[in-house]
């Protein structure tokens, strides 16, 4: 285990039913009891499509587990007034942490919709409206944002988010530790000194992982693809291989100085717990 006592955090997404919410809270409670998380985060649908469900999920997570919970907040396609109202609601219920993102739009809407275009604009807006009330997390892309023209442009966009007032960053998931360390080294040379926390995606299902990785620009190495393909429908072997592979990645990251790990749980506790138990 890393000597700096790394912090662990976990992401959830809003559910559509009461039964789904009950399951989510049960998984969150398992993680709370075992891992003592630094915080939870909760996603926000494209164009704010899950706004109310995100708000409700954040409140229930926070109240049920007593763990600080950070809502995702995106700006593209939204007005300043709408964002201002939502920030005020979060302040009123005692939320102290936010994940500030540019966000994606539903199909058919242009990226210039809304009053704010970039995540750095959203960070500046949050600071203007709420001063230092919120600890602001932003996204980082060690393998380059899929819509960036090139790596240099992407690095500058990231630095702009930090200069706008972000406190720390969480990365897109990846499977190659070198890309994380290279990214951190590059932005540190550009003056960034905030914690950059690796995002970790447990491996539990090959087809879904491959599809999602292709869509978000996260490279799924060929050797992992080929091994997962070989297992076919053998779920037990896929999960065992996934736990071993991701545990080794996490060990590399922590040994190399990563300040913590942020697990993308997909609303399931056990895959993240299996990795976490290998690290303690």
């Amino acid at each position: 285990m890393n000597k700096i006592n790394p912090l662990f955090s976990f992401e959830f997404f809003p559910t559509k039913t009461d039964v789904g919410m009950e399951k989510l809270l049960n998984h969150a409670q398992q993680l709370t009891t075992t891992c003592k998380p630094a915080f939870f985060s909760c996603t926000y649908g494209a164009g704010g499509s899950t706004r109310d469900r995100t708000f409700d999920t954040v409140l229930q997570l926070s109240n049920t587990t007593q763990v600080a919970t950070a809502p995702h907040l995106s700006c593209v396609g939204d007005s300043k007034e709408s964002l201002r109202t939502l920030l005020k609601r979060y302040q009123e219920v005692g939320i102290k942490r936010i994940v500030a993102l540019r966000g994606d739009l539903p199909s058919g809407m242009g990226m210039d919709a809304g009053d704010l275009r970039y995540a750095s604009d959203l960070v500046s807006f949050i600071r203007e409206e709420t001063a230092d009330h919120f600890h602001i997390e932003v996204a980082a892309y060690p393998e380059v944002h899929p819509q960036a023209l090139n790596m240099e442009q992407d690095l500058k966009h990231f630095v702009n988010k930090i200069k706008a007032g972000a406190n720390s960053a969480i990365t897109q998931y990846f499977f190659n530790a070198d890309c994380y360390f290279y990214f951190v080294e590059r932005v540190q040379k550009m003056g960034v000194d905030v914690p950059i926390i690796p995002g970790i995606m447990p491996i539990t299902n090959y087809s879904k992982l491959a599809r999602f990785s292709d869509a978000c620009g996260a490279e799924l190495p060929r050797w992992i693809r080929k091994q997962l393909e070989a297992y076919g429908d053998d779920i037990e072997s896929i999960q065992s291989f996934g736990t071993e592979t991701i545990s080794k990645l996490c060990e590399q990251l922590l040994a190399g100085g990563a300040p913590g790990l942020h697990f993308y749980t997909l609303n399931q506790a056990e895959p993240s717990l299996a990795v976490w138990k290998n690290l303690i």
Side-chain angles (χ1 to χ4, degrees):
M1 178 62 83
N2 195 358
K3 295 180 181 179
I4 63 172
N5 298 319
L7 300 177
F8 297 97
S9 53
F10 302 87
E11 178 183 290
F12 295 94
F13 60 83
T15 64
K16 296 180 180 180
T17 66
D18 291 341
V19 172
M21 175 63 78
E22 184 177 355
K23 290 180 180 179
L24 184 157
L25 293 175
N26 286 337
H27 287 292
Q29 194 60 60
Q30 290 180 53
L31 293 167
T32 300
T33 301
T34 305
C35 306
K36 306 295 187 293
F39 66 94
F40 292 132
S41 70
C42 182
T43 65
Y44 191 70
S49 56
T50 65
R51 182 192 308 274
D52 291 336
R53 286 191 285 122
T54 295
F55 186 87
D56 292 341
T57 303
V58 166
L59 257 60
Q60 293 206 50
L61 274 170
S62 179
N63 292 336
T64 300
T65 66
Q66 299 301 303
V67 172
T69 304
H72 287 205
L73 183 62
S74 62
C75 61
V76 172
D78 228 332
S79 68
K80 287 185 178 180
E81 189 55 40
S82 176
L83 292 167
R84 185 178 292 117
T85 299
L86 190 52
L87 288 169
K88 186 175 181 181
R89 290 179 70 193
Y90 281 126
Q91 282 184 290
E92 289 172 346
V93 296
I95 297 302
K96 297 278 192 178
R97 197 170 195 131
I98 276 183
V99 181
L101 307 165
R102 185 197 70 177
D104 299 318
L105 279 178
S107 179
M109 295 181 69
M111 290 307 296
D112 58 350
D115 293 337
L116 304 174
R117 187 169 185 181
Y118 299 112
S120 55
D121 298 329
L122 178 58
V123 173
S124 295
F125 180 75
I126 294 171
R127 286 288 175 237
E128 290 166 4
E129 294 293 323
T130 67
D132 293 328
H133 177 85
F134 293 106
H135 177 111
I136 302 177
E137 308 269 2
V138 292
Y141 296 87
E143 294 178 312
V144 185
H145 191 283
Q147 295 175 347
L149 292 178
N150 55 55
M151 188 170 202
E152 299 305 315
Q153 181 203 59
D154 201 38
L155 290 171
K156 290 176 182 177
H157 280 311
F158 177 75
V159 172
N160 288 341
K161 291 188 283 190
I162 304 305
K163 289 181 177 179
N167 301 102
S168 53
I170 299 170
T171 77
Q172 174 63 276
Y173 71 86
F174 54 86
F175 299 102
N176 182 344
D178 287 342
C179 73
Y180 168 79
F181 293 124
Y182 182 71
F183 178 87
V184 171
E185 180 183 355
R186 288 293 307 274
V187 297
Q188 285 179 344
K189 289 180 179 178
M190 298 170 74
V192 169
D193 62 358
V194 304
I196 300 173
I197 303 168
I200 303 298
M201 178 67 81
I203 297 174
T204 60
N205 179 294
Y206 171 57
S207 59
K208 289 182 180 178
L209 179 65
R211 186 168 61 250
F212 191 47
S213 298
D214 290 341
C216 71
E219 181 183 358
L220 184 58
R222 186 173 185 273
W223 69 272
I224 293 180
R225 286 181 182 267
K226 290 301 181 182
Q227 182 60 76
L228 292 173
E229 287 175 358
Y231 288 135
D233 296 327
D234 184 350
I235 301 301
E236 185 176 340
S237 293
I238 290 173
Q239 292 177 345
S240 178
F241 170 77
T243 297
E244 180 182 1
T245 300
I246 298 303
S247 295
K248 288 180 179 178
L249 172 64
C250 292
E251 288 170 353
Q252 280 184 278
L253 292 167
L254 294 176
L261 301 170
H262 185 74
F263 289 86
Y264 296 110
T265 70
L266 302 181
N267 288 6
Q268 299 291 322
E270 189 50 46
S272 297
L273 276 173
V275 173
W276 182 88
K277 290 174 181 176
N278 284 340
L279 303 176
I280 60 173

